[in-house]
Amino acid sequence: MIPRYDHGVPSIRRPDLDNPRVQRTRRRILAVARDLLPEVGPTGLSYSLLADRAGVTRQTLYRHWPTRAALLVDLILTGPEVAYPEPGSDPRQVLTAWLTSLRQGMDDLASRTAVLAVTAQADYDPDCAEALVRLRDDRLAALNGLLAPAGREVSTDEYTLLYGPVLSRLFFDRGEATDEFIEIVVTRWLATTSAGRGTLGA
């Protein structure tokens, strides 16, 4: 999946994201950005450097990502390759697989750096604040798609209660979100939301 962004930049022609050549270009740029980010950090990931390393023009970068926040969110959403959960009728199984996938994604240094960079800048950068909303909405919609066979739908607040402990363990405690930790999170979350007895978010 290639996320689509429209930040209202009329002077720059938007790329055709259905074009296979455009998709290959995006994947190549994102791969280079993923390699560069841990090396130079978010402030060092300039469009000049990225264009030079990826062999494209800065205009090409701005066509695809009018803001650096949009680029960072795409880095988060498009990688790394981890085992993605399957839809299922057992909420516990789906939620456990979801949090395990989240943990694996955050094991990637580029993804961790991108998440922290967007979050740190959100208070004073409207593009980063918007990017966080887009990221949350995208992931929440994906989770609800996985839970659809179970007849469940997670609200925004419930979603925060689900992923919050895992990110807190990783980023604030600087610890490991073990399988046992994820099991505790899911068990307490299910009990709190009464997911086993009724429709979530009701």
Side-chain angles (χ1 to χ4, degrees):
M1 178 188 69
I2 297 179
R4 300 167 182 260
Y5 293 95
D6 180 7
H7 289 268
V9 184
S11 61
I12 300 178
R13 181 170 58 88
R14 309 300 295 151
D16 177 9
L17 297 183
D18 294 322
N19 185 314
R21 186 172 64 85
V22 171
Q23 293 177 5
R24 288 194 297 271
T25 297
R26 287 176 66 90
R27 285 194 292 267
R28 184 176 76 253
I29 294 170
L30 287 171
V32 172
R34 184 171 297 282
D35 289 340
L36 275 174
L37 189 56
E39 175 187 337
V40 302
T43 57
L45 187 65
S46 68
Y47 274 18
S48 295
L49 175 61
L50 180 55
D52 180 64
R53 293 287 185 93
V56 299
T57 65
R58 283 192 298 171
Q59 184 181 29
T60 296
L61 296 179
Y62 281 111
R63 285 179 58 207
H64 288 272
W65 301 282
T67 68
R68 190 165 54 174
L71 171 66
L72 292 175
V73 169
D74 273 9
L75 280 175
I76 298 166
L77 292 177
T78 58
E81 294 295 331
V82 297
Y84 194 76
E86 296 288 338
S89 57
D90 182 352
R92 177 182 292 275
Q93 185 176 11
V94 171
L95 296 171
T96 299
W98 178 263
L99 291 182
T100 301
S101 176
L102 171 64
R103 177 189 65 193
Q104 292 171 340
M106 290 299 98
D107 282 342
D108 175 68
L109 184 56
S111 295
R112 289 173 72 106
T113 303
V115 168
L116 291 172
V118 173
T119 303
Q121 298 173 48
D123 282 344
Y124 55 87
D125 183 344
D127 289 324
C128 285
E130 179 187 353
L132 282 180
V133 174
R134 287 175 180 267
L135 181 60
R136 181 204 62 200
D137 290 349
D138 179 274
R139 296 296 79 199
L140 176 56
L143 175 58
N144 279 328
L146 297 176
L147 287 169
R152 309 298 188 189
E153 183 173 350
V154 178
S155 70
T156 301
D157 287 344
E158 289 169 341
Y159 181 55
T160 301
L161 291 173
L162 179 65
Y163 74 76
V166 173
L167 293 189
S168 178
R169 172 56 60 93
L170 295 174
F171 292 144
F172 294 104
D173 297 344
R174 311 303 295 176
E176 181 182 359
T178 62
D179 291 343
E180 292 76 15
F181 181 80
I182 288 176
E183 181 180 357
I184 291 172
V185 171
V186 171
T187 297
R188 292 183 176 178
W189 187 91
L190 288 170
T192 300
T193 60
S194 301
R197 298 192 299 272
T199 300
L200 296 184

